[in-house]
Amino acid sequence: MKYAFLLLLASVAARAGEAASPPDGEALSACASAIFEEASAYSGRRDPKVVHVLPEGETARDETDRAHFSMELGGADWERIAPALGNLQTRLDARWHPPSDIAIPGVRVRVKEPRKDDFLGYRDFFFSFWPPGYDPANQVALVLAVFGPTPHGARAACHLRRQDEAWVVEKKWVMSWL
């Protein structure tokens, strides 16, 4: 009886851990799908058949404060996304890895293994995501990424909101510095 109770307790704890994990794959998929065409056009890789998602460690770690992004994210609803940006900043300290369930309709997505060099050595189209940030109620998300290859760098962002069981892109930004 004691072992059955421990097994039941372990099962409940495992389910609680699963429920508490953020919906990164869903949020990243929604954003990547929304920005894919425009980002791939900036990169010069029209109609790529494969998108590489670079691992943690190769992600751009530029400034992630509101002042920095206020210049880039014109028209952002800061009242709604500020808590998500705060959560993203908190998650930067953890060892985050992009989930394997990122999907873009009609395109194969490959999450790459870490390597010694950074993303500048990639010749194929890629996204390199920061960990998504969420508001406390998990109803608003902020996704940031660099993408390429591009000659001078490029970044994309999405402000998402939860609608029923899916993430919907409220606003997207795709920026390239040419």
Side-chain angles (χ1 to χ4, degrees):
M1 189 65 147
K2 179 177 161 182
Y3 294 109
F5 175 74
L6 289 175
L7 186 59
L8 176 65
L9 186 60
S11 173
V12 169
R15 281 192 219 125
E18 289 172 9
S21 64
D24 289 350
E26 297 169 24
L28 294 173
S29 294
C31 183
S33 297
I35 63 175
F36 172 71
E37 276 189 45
E38 191 174 352
S40 63
Y42 273 122
S43 77
R45 304 285 192 245
R46 299 207 188 277
D47 301 323
K49 305 286 187 251
V50 177
V51 172
H52 298 276
V53 175
L54 304 187
E56 187 277 331
E58 297 188 49
T59 312
R61 298 290 184 184
D62 294 343
E63 291 295 316
T64 57
D65 62 7
R66 180 174 166 174
H68 178 81
F69 284 113
S70 291
M71 293 182 291
E72 293 181 354
L73 307 183
D77 183 350
W78 284 106
E79 187 174 320
R80 297 209 52 218
I81 65 173
L85 179 59
N87 177 251
L88 182 153
Q89 291 164 327
T90 301
R91 294 185 74 197
L92 283 174
D93 295 334
R95 295 225 15 109
W96 179 80
H97 299 281
S100 61
D101 61 343
I102 301 170
I104 300 172
V107 179
R108 197 173 90 193
V109 177
R110 285 188 56 208
V111 177
K112 301 290 280 184
E113 292 296 318
R115 63 182 204 168
K116 289 182 181 179
D117 299 326
D118 65 9
F119 62 85
L120 296 173
Y122 282 99
R123 290 187 291 255
D124 297 321
F125 184 72
F126 68 85
F127 285 121
S128 183
F129 292 104
W130 279 266
Y134 304 94
D135 74 336
N138 270 351
Q139 296 301 304
V140 174
L142 179 64
V143 172
L144 302 173
V146 294
F147 63 88
T150 60
H152 299 290
R155 187 176 354 241
C158 293
H159 164 193
L160 302 106
R161 70 176 160 78
R162 192 80 162 159
Q163 182 176 323
D164 299 322
E165 295 298 315
W167 287 102
V168 176
V169 176
E170 285 281 309
K171 188 156 178 89
K172 66 178 181 164
W173 299 266
V174 178
M175 304 148 285
S176 179
W177 300 281
L178 294 177

